[in-house]
Amino acid sequence: MERKRIVITGGPGTGKTTIINRLIESGYSCMEEVSRQITLEAQKNGVEQLFVSDPIGFSVQLANGRAEHFYKADELNDALVFFDRGIPDVPAYLNFSKSTIPDSIAKLSKNLRYDMVFIVNPWKEIYTSDNERYESFELALKIHQHLVDTYTSLDYSLIEIPFGDVTSRVNFIISCLKQENLLPSQS
């Protein structure tokens, strides 16, 4: 069975994880974000923000975790798998932090291709910071632009998810997938 891989991306605090959680609740297979787990593990070891203190080390772990998820999708029985962020998010964040992109990350971003990419725009009304999200809303806007630039440079066409409640956002995604014949219309 040919697997279709669908990315939900966007800057921090845009509602990606809420969308992914609703897709999971609706019975879809989803690969959840791995950066929070890496960040929490680093915090247990006394490193408050691993991305800030070691952007390359953090990014290599992140890219490898996302590549693992990419391949793990083949083990699922579903023809459609959603991803909370994709591998190209890693070089986008490295560009944002003005860090060099390791060849291994550039190669993964170029070679492991997703079938469709949805992007969630920054939305000031829902933006919050927490222990793992240190960015201000202004930084989130800059990160968003780096995500757009990176995915576009890798020849992805980004589909913008409109603002709205989680149900309308998920319905928009499902509608787009049906239009592209990636999801049967009766689903």
Side-chain angles (χ1 to χ4, degrees):
M1 163 189 334
E2 185 182 344
R3 211 86 51 250
K4 298 296 181 187
R5 292 170 171 86
I6 312 301
V7 171
I8 311 287
T9 192
T14 55
K16 292 175 308 303
T17 303
T18 301
I19 292 169
I20 289 290
N21 289 339
R22 178 62 61 88
L23 289 164
I24 291 169
E25 289 168 12
S26 300
Y28 292 99
S29 290
C30 299
M31 296 294 177
E32 297 181 59
E33 171 61 285
V34 295
S35 69
R36 280 186 180 261
Q37 192 56 43
I38 294 168
T39 299
L40 290 171
E41 193 61 38
Q43 288 173 346
K44 284 182 195 171
N45 295 319
V47 179
E48 194 55 36
Q49 286 295 339
L50 184 58
F51 179 73
V52 174
S53 63
D54 183 9
I56 301 299
F58 175 84
S59 297
V60 167
Q61 286 183 56
L62 194 52
N64 289 339
R66 290 188 182 146
E68 190 177 307
H69 277 178
F70 186 93
Y71 290 117
K72 188 177 177 185
D74 286 332
E75 299 170 14
L76 302 175
N77 289 327
D78 298 315
L80 189 68
V81 180
F82 289 94
F83 293 79
D84 187 345
R85 296 193 177 277
I87 297 166
D89 285 52
V90 179
Y93 271 77
L94 286 170
N95 282 331
F96 164 74
S97 70
K98 297 177 177 37
S99 299
T100 302
I101 299 168
D103 290 342
S104 62
I105 293 175
K107 191 181 222 179
L108 286 173
S109 296
K110 184 179 176 191
N111 294 336
L112 299 183
R113 302 283 303 172
Y114 299 94
D115 296 287
M116 194 174 235
V117 179
F118 289 92
I119 190 162
V120 187
N121 291 315
W123 188 3
K124 193 164 187 128
E125 287 73 22
I126 67 167
Y127 188 83
T128 58
S129 296
D130 61 23
N131 283 339
E132 295 86 44
R133 180 181 302 129
Y134 60 90
E135 304 92 344
S136 67
F137 183 73
E138 290 68 29
L139 286 179
L141 291 170
K142 291 177 182 175
I143 290 168
H144 174 80
Q145 191 56 54
H146 282 282
L147 288 164
V148 169
D149 294 345
T150 300
Y151 274 94
T152 302
S153 75
L154 291 166
D155 295 323
Y156 284 103
S157 295
L158 299 174
I159 300 167
E160 290 186 15
I161 299 173
F163 295 139
D165 63 39
V166 68
T167 300
S168 65
R169 291 175 136 196
V170 168
N171 288 343
F172 173 82
I173 293 166
I174 300 305
S175 174
C176 289
L177 293 170
K178 287 177 182 176
Q179 287 175 1
E180 294 296 319
N181 293 318
L182 295 178
L183 191 67
S185 345
Q186 59 269 27
S187 290

